Amino acid sequence: MCRILAMFLALIVVPAHAEPNDPGGIAGEPTTSLPHSPTSPQTAENLFMLGKIWGYMKYHHPQVVMGCFEWDKELLQVADDVAVATDREEASRVLVTWIRRIEDSQTDCGPKAAKEVHYSVDTSWLKDERLLGPALANTITAGSAGPESVPVQHYVTLAEGVRNPRFASEESYGNIETLDWRYRLLALYRFWNIVEYWSPYRHLITEDWDEVLKESIPHFVGADDEAQYVLALMALIARVQDGHANLWSALSARPPAGVLDISVHIRPIEGLPFVWREPMVENTDPSGEVTGPGLAFGDVIIAVNGTSVSELVETWSPYYGVSNHAALLREAYKNLLRGSEGIVNVLVERDGEELNLTLEREAADQVGYRTHDRDGETLQMLSENIAYLKLSSVSQTSIAEYLRAIVGCRGLIIDIRNYPSEFVVFSLGRHLVEEATPFARFTHGDLKSPGTFYWTDPLELTPAKPFFNGRVVILVDESSQSMAEYTAMAFRAAPDAVVVGSQTAGADGNISAIPLPGGHRTAISGIGVFYPDKAPTQRIGIVPDVAVIPTVAGMRAGRDEVLERAVTEIMQEEYSLAELLDMTRIPHAPLRAPPTASLGAATY
């Protein structure tokens, strides 16, 4: 089957001395040193082809797929010879020898394992004689087997039901104190090939994914210490532009690096970093003496330690795994005041004046998910006709109680400017429709055809009594991500439902965790999530029917402009600003209203 692969491997040098299932360990020092810089064109070319061939064989060669070889070990043993090859011909000879040894082993260690295709990975490079040379290209294509002959995968399985990939057989090598360059290369190859063959959103990557591999090799091979290795991982993962893909094991190393922080919630308002929750912090001088109040609700941060916020975000952005700009600002502003030193100087705008503050950071764990919904009970009555339900504290066991409480209401506002505390897509959603209603469909990979993704049939909400016959309004913003976005898709299927708010984070699909050498971990969105008509959601997010972007002036006045608009969508009536504030005021916000003229229209 894999004579094709033999041709691939000829491009890179691999020693022929290792035996399959060798019980020896794979740790240890490199067997050779690089005779030239890891950034040299020849080394980069050799290692680029090694990465592609190693990954292709991992998911296509029958014996490798069945786990007959310790595939990480094979890479570690062959990487030296490939890297030091002085030209393409030498690298090709090494790879051909390596592939033929694997094919000749004839080890049988496992059984073999009419759909609508969404997309398939491009493997035309297997026939590229200019890239591989005629001998290697002919060898690979001559031995390639069809997808139906591919056995059950050893390095990847699909979760039952939803079918997102699982990578439980991958080792993280967390017990290795110092990773040599081969393990760092393994991390690069593992992640790159998982994205290449198992990411349902691989086709959305705006960069040339091959070029990303080429450009990343020098950073991984040449990393001098753990810190550089971590940054190389972060930069690679961020280029996938998937909000589920970050280096979750080392978030404190993501710029601005450090474990000290200010206990304050900063969120984007009109694109600016707005202090949303009153912090428990005071202004101090360099000696630590308190000189006055510190940050306050409504402050807009202009600069940190003399650098403008916009410049900081631009500098940090290559290390942030996010799907869109709204999510980038959410994450960057969340970390805006974090750092490694205790004192931080902050320039803020407060009610038209600029103030310099000197604040003391404290040790803090990574701040958890932040919500933008209302304080108070999960279910609130804004008026006798309008019910408000926030999903950040929703309970499955209370669904019947919620339904009884909203009987006769003219409208139900479901606030998903948060992350749902429980999965209520079907338990609540089925009470919002009177007939079977499709709301989403998925794409998933196939173990028999790595890199190919197939459509599922649409998922439906099936009706259940009691049916809520009032209008449903769903609130979203940049804090709505993943399950929050999926839930919004489902509830949007209710008759005459409307989504109000701003762009969501654009990262949906069950998470597939990925262990990486050095004890690190990342993930990808493991399935593709689309509307029933195949319209996409990844990166785009949930597009509101009614776009409402909160304003700094409105927030400072204690207004929740998104919730105000939801009220008017339900009642279809004009309200004075005072009436709307009575129903929707931000509970924790002090009254610091600027002149009325700056608030905009007084009625809706």
Side-chain angles (χ1 to χ4, degrees), residues 372 374 417 558-565 584 586:
H372 299 158
R374 289 172 59 81
R417 295 175 296 177
R559 297 176 62 189
D560 186 338
E561 293 154 293
V562 178
L563 185 56
E564 290 173 9
R565 183 55 184 264
T584 65
I586 300 171

Side-chain angles (χ1 to χ4, degrees), residues 108 114 133 158 318 365 488:
D108 185 7
L158 299 184
D365 294 331

Side-chain angles (χ1 to χ4, degrees), residues 382-387 410-411 413 559-584 596 599-604:
L382 302 184
S383 72
E384 62 180 9
N385 288 315
I386 303 175
R410 188 164 170 180
I413 298 172
R559 297 176 62 189
D560 186 338
E561 293 154 293
V562 178
L563 185 56
E564 290 173 9
R565 183 55 184 264
V567 169
T568 60
E569 285 291 324
I570 290 171
M571 302 305 292
Q572 298 294 305
E573 297 173 5
E574 287 191 345
Y575 289 93
S576 69
L577 181 58
E579 290 173 319
L580 283 172
L581 284 172
D582 283 343
M583 288 186 279
T584 65
T596 304
L599 287 176
T603 59
Y604 279 81

Side-chain angles (χ1 to χ4, degrees), residues 230-231 234-235 246 250-258 312-321 328 331-339 366:
V230 165
L231 287 178
M234 286 183 176
N246 273 284
L251 288 182
S252 63
R254 184 172 66 174
L312 290 173
V313 173
E314 183 178 0
T315 302
W316 300 342
S317 61
Y319 303 99
Y320 277 67
L328 171 63
E331 290 299 298
Y333 291 172
K334 180 176 74 175
N335 296 317
L336 191 58
L337 301 181
R338 187 160 56 88
Q366 180 68 25

